[in-house]
Amino acid sequence: MAGKSRSIEQTHSTSFKNYKETLLVFEKCWPAMPGNDERPTSMSTSVSQDVSSDADSSDHCPSDSDCSRQSFTSDSSSSKHSSPSSSPPKTITLDEVMSSARDLSDLTIAHEIIVNREFHVEQPQLPQNSLVKHVKDIVHKAFWDSLESELNNDPPEYKHAIKLLEEIREILLSFLSLGANRLRTQILEVLDMDLIGQQADKEVVDIQGLASYIITIMGKLCAPIRDEEVKRLRESPGNVVSMFKDIFRVLDLMKMDMVNFTIQNLRPELQRHSVEYERAKFQTILEKTPSALNHTTDWIKSSLEEVLFSMPTVKPPSGQEKGGKALPSPLLVLNTGYIRILTWDYHKHRLPETLMTDEVRLRDIQRSLRLLQAVASVLLIVYSAIGGAISGLTALAERLKRMTSVLLEDMHSSDFNLLEALENVSNQICCELNKSLTERNYPTLTPDLQATLKGQITSINQENNPIRSLVEGRVQQYFRVLLATNPQVTPSLTPGGLTLIQPELTSLASTFVKLVNFNKQVYSPFYMLILKSLLFSNDVPPSSTATPQEPSMHNPVT
């Protein structure tokens, strides 16, 4: 945008009244912002369906994500009911920062449940040689050694053992449903800490018997997948300390099972209220942290300037000397912003706050798209250079595509040598082409043609390479069209040069569009208020009108 962007006030001159009415009508198309009393009716847990699946409410961290979260902790103008406010900055207390962090965590987890069907909780695994694991192992060993020493004393000491039994009792009770009153009463009677304490004082407590009872209850409460673990506990001939260690290990697994079971049951309910819940949760964050839309505002402003620069100049109404720029539709501005995310530089710019919950998915889409574009560039060069001798050979095209994809699949890594990889790609492709040509009695590639082919393939390493630029432009055009069309309609037309990657490109675009559509549903009221603030903040209304056009395959907005 450097050198091309102008101030928003200087780049448009259109009827203030007419366009504002259009924007208000557009805003009414989105779900209304919830008021203070509008909250999801059932949100008992904040822990949801893959982006590629159809949820009821949508077509729906890396280190850099920490940078995005920092924007929630800085001071700026307040925003009440998702509207950028002109009130002066206020001081944010530590409690407010921590509360916003909790809200952000709830929002992130809930969003993950909603959009990721495979989301589940796993037992954390520390790296084998890490300092944290080393310290943890030392502390645990010291604890269990101390417990064993106490039980082996004469007379034995049961202070720590009773603490463990009390903790186990609370874990078992947490597994019970509200109606399991009989089992709850039984557990409380058997694991009566006062009675066990009295028995310990008289040295008549049966630790082995209590452990056996605990294992029996675990067998009743565990998921079927843990039956073998519980069976091994029953058959374990180890001492009491080893048994306690194994009991806690299996209880940790059961807790993970319970959390994942809760997630599975919560998902349908959360999906039904997903838009309202995420919007209300973000509104809560916005009220506590006034700067929670700073980067989003910058993102929309840059997109607006980009679109305004490309809009046509319209004829002035009668009686006016100068024409002006036509104003784009809000949807066009937002779609332009989403397209920019496909090439977002996460090292230089923070992601808009409203897209933070999808950062991992957006990064994955960006990496996959870069790989697809590189593969398409290579194949376009090959088929342009060789021509009819290999056209129409589906099996050959698939081999070339798969070969190129494998050799370039790590191109997103910082230490990846793209030039060297492209040289390997060109060598492998020439060998595969010569093999195919020989099998069909065609002459093999001449040394000059092979050298030319290799030079063209390796040249896509350059950012200004015309083939690379052509492919990237057509891919962005394809994504623009999909964002601008009915979500239920998928255009059958694929831009030229992308036919060989059409299945992968269509799948990736579908995932991106569903993610974007859900983001629009949740955050559109915030976006509309930001747009109105950017467009109508000055007192002098623009002076000419034009109907903006959405992009299409034949009428792309660049």
Side-chain angles (χ1 to χ4, degrees):
M1 295 297 296
K4 291 186 177 181
S5 60
R6 313 171 187 175
S7 67
I8 295 176
E9 293 78 10
Q10 294 174 343
T11 53
H12 63 79
S13 178
T14 304
S15 170
F16 175 86
K17 180 179 180 182
N18 291 345
Y19 185 71
K20 191 167 186 179
E21 290 175 353
T22 302
L23 187 61
L24 292 174
V25 171
F26 181 82
E27 184 177 0
K28 290 178 181 178
C29 296
W30 302 99
M33 272 300 299
N36 292 335
D37 58 342
E38 295 181 35
R39 292 293 184 268
T41 57
S42 178
M43 291 298 146
S44 58
T45 309
S46 58
V47 227
S48 123
Q49 168 170 2
D50 193 285
V51 176
S52 60
S53 63
D54 294 323
D56 293 337
S57 60
S58 110
D59 267 349
H60 338 292
C61 243
S63 59
D64 291 329
S65 65
D66 296 336
C67 296
S68 300
R69 290 184 175 86
Q70 291 174 12
S71 64
F72 285 96
T73 59
S74 57
D75 297 342
S76 185
S77 299
S78 177
S79 178
K80 188 73 173 173
H81 299 298
S82 38
S83 60
S85 171
S86 58
S87 59
K90 69 173 186 178
T91 302
I92 301 177
T93 65
L94 178 61
D95 288 341
E96 289 174 320
V97 172
M98 297 303 294
S99 178
S100 295
R102 287 190 293 271
D103 289 332
L104 179 59
S105 177
D106 291 344
L107 174 61
T108 302
I109 294 173
H111 182 77
E112 202 64 31
I113 296 174
I114 293 166
V115 303
N116 183 3
R117 178 180 291 175
E118 304 301 325
F119 176 74
H120 63 281
V121 180
E122 294 182 350
Q123 195 75 13
Q125 298 292 336
L126 296 174
Q128 282 297 325
N129 298 322
S130 67
L131 177 62
V132 176
K133 187 177 187 307
H134 184 61
V135 172
K136 179 182 176 182
D137 291 343
I138 291 176
V139 172
H140 282 201
K141 185 178 185 303
F143 173 81
W144 293 115
D145 287 348
S146 174
L147 176 63
E148 186 171 19
S149 176
E150 288 183 356
L151 294 177
N152 290 334
N153 284 344
D154 188 16
E157 298 179 23
Y158 295 103
K159 181 179 178 181
H160 285 92
I162 292 174
K163 289 286 186 183
L164 290 180
L165 288 172
E166 185 175 8
E167 185 176 344
I168 291 172
R169 184 188 68 172
E170 296 307 314
I171 295 173
L172 292 177
L173 292 175
S174 71
F175 292 152
L176 300 179
S177 61
L178 294 178
N181 296 325
R182 179 178 298 179
L183 187 56
R184 184 184 304 274
T185 301
Q186 184 190 97
I187 293 173
L188 290 172
E189 288 178 352
V190 176
L191 298 178
D192 185 337
M193 293 301 109
D194 292 335
L195 177 60
I196 293 174
Q198 294 172 13
Q199 292 173 342
D201 293 338
K202 298 178 181 179
E203 301 179 23
V204 294
V205 61
D206 184 5
I207 294 292
Q208 188 77 39
L210 291 174
S212 297
Y213 172 77
I214 289 168
I215 294 172
T216 300
I217 298 299
M218 290 170 63
K220 294 180 179 180
L221 299 178
C222 71
I225 194 175
R226 304 302 174 197
D227 285 344
E228 286 299 318
E229 295 280 358
V230 174
K231 182 181 178 181
R232 281 195 288 270
L233 282 179
R234 289 196 185 99
E235 299 172 350
S236 175
N239 59 24
V240 173
V241 174
S242 297
M243 185 177 293
F244 271 120
K245 289 171 66 175
D246 288 337
I247 285 174
F248 272 97
R249 179 182 60 81
V250 178
L251 284 175
D252 284 342
L253 296 175
M254 290 174 62
K255 284 191 283 187
M256 294 299 101
D257 295 338
M258 179 60 70
V259 171
N260 289 321
F261 178 74
T262 303
I263 291 174
Q264 184 178 355
N265 288 328
L266 177 65
R267 181 174 287 120
E269 183 69 15
L270 194 54
Q271 286 173 345
R272 280 193 290 272
H273 302 282
S274 57
V275 172
E276 293 83 358
Y277 175 78
E278 290 201 30
R279 191 186 297 156
K281 184 60 69 174
F282 189 81
Q283 177 65 37
T284 301
I285 295 172
L286 193 59
E287 291 170 357
K288 295 176 181 177
T289 311
S291 61
L293 279 173
N294 282 5
H295 298 303
T296 302
T297 301
D298 293 340
W299 170 61
I300 292 178
K301 182 177 180 181
S302 298
S303 302
L304 180 60
E305 290 174 343
E306 179 182 339
V307 173
L308 286 173
F309 183 80
S310 64
M311 294 300 291
T313 302
V314 297
K315 296 180 180 179
S318 57
Q320 294 187 11
E321 297 181 357
K322 296 182 179 180
K325 289 283 188 178
L327 283 178
S329 72
L331 186 60
L332 179 57
V333 176
L334 291 180
N335 287 348
T336 299
Y338 288 119
I339 293 297
R340 293 177 64 227
I341 297 297
L342 294 173
T343 56
W344 195 263
D345 189 338
Y346 291 89
H347 298 290
K348 294 182 179 179
H349 305 289
R350 294 176 181 172
L351 201 64
E353 295 89 347
T354 54
L355 291 168
M356 278 175 46
T357 51
D358 287 312
E359 179 168 353
V360 174
R361 276 173 287 276
L362 291 171
R363 284 174 176 265
D364 288 341
I365 290 173
Q366 185 185 81
R367 285 194 288 263
S368 299
L369 195 58
R370 284 177 178 173
L371 176 60
L372 275 181
Q373 289 172 165
V375 172
S377 300
V378 170
L379 295 180
L380 186 59
I381 290 171
V382 170
Y383 278 83
S384 298
I386 308 303
I390 60 172
S391 62
L393 302 177
T394 305
L396 175 62
E398 286 299 319
R399 285 201 303 273
L400 296 179
K401 179 169 67 175
R402 185 168 56 252
M403 179 191 307
T404 306
S405 298
V406 169
L407 292 174
L408 298 179
E409 64 180 349
D410 294 326
M411 62 181 296
H412 61 274
S413 301
S414 58
D415 58 347
F416 186 79
N417 191 327
L418 181 57
L419 181 59
E420 181 180 332
L422 289 172
E423 290 175 353
N424 293 334
V425 167
S426 61
N427 292 331
Q428 293 293 329
I429 284 180
C430 287
C431 291
E432 192 67 32
L433 290 176
N434 284 331
K435 178 182 176 183
S436 176
L437 292 171
T438 301
E439 289 173 350
R440 291 176 294 110
N441 298 321
Y442 278 90
T444 59
L445 304 178
T446 64
D448 288 344
L449 182 55
Q450 291 190 49
T452 300
L453 194 60
K454 291 178 180 180
Q456 291 180 342
I457 290 176
T458 54
S459 68
I460 67 173
N461 180 51
Q462 305 167 4
E463 291 188 7
N464 60 349
N465 178 267
I467 299 296
R468 174 177 171 173
S469 300
L470 176 68
V471 169
E472 291 175 355
R474 289 180 178 177
V475 166
Q476 289 194 19
Q477 175 186 336
Y478 181 69
F479 274 70
R480 284 179 185 272
V481 173
L482 290 182
L483 287 178
T485 54
N486 188 319
Q488 306 302 325
V489 178
T490 301
S492 58
L493 181 62
T494 302
L498 306 181
T499 307
L500 293 176
I501 62 167
Q502 180 178 3
E504 296 84 0
L505 185 62
T506 301
S507 175
L508 197 62
S510 176
T511 299
F512 181 71
V513 169
K514 288 175 181 177
L515 188 152
V516 165
N517 286 340
F518 181 67
N519 184 269
K520 287 178 181 177
Q521 285 183 295
V522 174
Y523 296 105
S524 56
F526 301 95
Y527 296 153
M528 292 304 99
L529 289 165
I530 291 173
L531 271 173
K532 285 195 290 187
S533 175
L534 292 173
L535 286 167
F536 308 127
S537 57
N538 55 337
D539 296 328
V540 182
S543 59
S544 58
T545 62
T547 303
Q549 289 184 305
E550 299 297 342
S552 67
M553 283 296 182
H554 305 291
N555 180 39
V557 177
T558 58

